[in-house]
Amino acid sequence: MSEKIIEIRQLNKKFVSEKGEVAALTDVSLEIEKKDIYGIIGLSGAGKSTLVRCMNLLERPSSGEVIVNGKSLTELSDRQLRTERRKIGMIFQHFNLLMQRSVVDNVAFPLEISGHRKKDARKKALEYLEAVGLTEKANAYPAQLSGGQKQRVAIARVLASKPEILLCDEATSALDPQTTKSILSLLKEINEKYGITIVVITHEMSVIQEICDHVAVLEHGKLVESGTTEQLFRSPKTAEARRLVFSGSEHILEMTSERVVRISFHGGSAYEPTLGNIVLETKTPVNILYANTQTVNGEAEGEMLIQLPADNDKADRIVEYFREKGLDPEEVKEYAESAGNTDDN
Ligand SMILES: Nc1ncnc2c1ncn2[C@@H]1O[C@H](COP(=O)(O)OP(=O)(O)OP(=O)(O)O)[C@@H](O)[C@H]1O
Ligand SMILES: [Mg+2]
């Protein structure tokens, strides 16, 4: 049975400044299951950091509930809140290491603070450094490490406090794609090995795709879509989700015909012969506007946007053909709109 570890209910967060009021979060509700890797994606300013900071009450919601492990955080005393917060770790884009302390001392630091004897703290720190593959850097200083290594230190440090939940706010945003991959696979390993629930905040769909089981899309402080990662990739329902899934596919903007169909294939579907056959059968070339194959949680997923011929009968035949082949055709109207609409701010 799935057990909820985080429940957010009708969360609102307003910031008041001289310039007026900013509604950073409006009526956000979501549930995160224990041991899940849950992604929250959105553009800059969407409210991601605010939402994740509400999960440990670093930010107090204006209204709504944050329930962690069955406890409503806003109703706890300061002392109770401190206890609950200890179960929630956090890592950031800029690592937040202590520059004057060696790697092992960085990891040992929170252990010392929480009352471990220096020697024990060091011993434990070395264990966690081993878990993140950094044993040989134990005596180095943060300035001597690469970004990926710094993030490993930050992860070892957070593991040392044995969190049940790990909040990652753009933890890979300062890293190159390959290092990002290695850090993400470390997070996945941690999730499996220690059973830690992980919340991943990102503006990159590739991060979601790489490790998240579930995902929520935030837009202007509102949660516009949520579900499994697979669902989001297979059939993004909102313009915002589509824009994120299809980000980087500018050629969609060049589309001239009105009728566009989206097909998706999962694992086995042979889309190539299908396309070839369709051309043969209808004697009409189809225009591939966008194609993408990716691995979501180890399973091949792919999709194409196909511009249908201007002749409606032929277009209908093509759609029917896709349907017969189980390619799940879906006529889409808003792609041009959603891909082109980037003038948010
Ligand atoms: N302390 C604050 N005071 C006033 N406004 C704030 C404060 N913190 C955040 N905001 C505003 O709330 C909105 C959401 O900000 P938030 O940092 O949560 O976005 P984000 O999705 O994390 O963005 P990014 O991807 O750039 O990190 C923004 O409009 C931001 O300016
Ligand atoms: Mg942020």
Side-chain angles (χ1 to χ4, degrees), residues 228-248:
T228 66
T229 303
E230 206 182 326
Q231 277 164 359
L232 187 81
F233 275 87
R234 200 173 279 189
S235 50
K237 300 208 166 31
T238 56
E240 182 66 1
R242 286 190 194 114
R243 170 161 56 184
L244 291 162
V245 169
F246 293 115
S247 62

Side-chain angles (χ1 to χ4, degrees), residues 8 11-16 22-26 28 30 40 43-63 66 90 92 167-170 199 201-202 218 220-222:
I8 303 283
L11 189 77
N12 286 283
K13 176 69 191 181
K14 294 193 176 86
F15 289 108
V16 185
V22 183
L25 295 171
T26 307
V28 172
L30 59 83
I40 296 171
L43 297 179
S44 182
K48 306 180 295 294
S49 293
T50 306
L51 177 56
V52 82
R53 288 164 59 80
C54 284
M55 287 181 186
N56 56 10
L57 237 56
L58 277 179
E59 209 71 81
R60 278 213 169 243
S62 307
S63 67
V66 179
M90 199 162 183
F92 308 87
L167 307 175
C168 311
D169 192 351
E170 301 280 6
V199 181
I201 299 292
T202 183
L218 265 191
H220 302 312
K222 296 195 177 113

Side-chain angles (χ1 to χ4, degrees), residues 37 184-185 187-188 200 206-213 297:
I37 304 186
L184 293 177
S185 66
L187 290 176
K188 187 148 194 146
V200 173
S206 56
V207 167
I208 299 288
Q209 170 190 332
E210 193 76 25
I211 58 164
C212 294
D213 305 308
N297 278 328

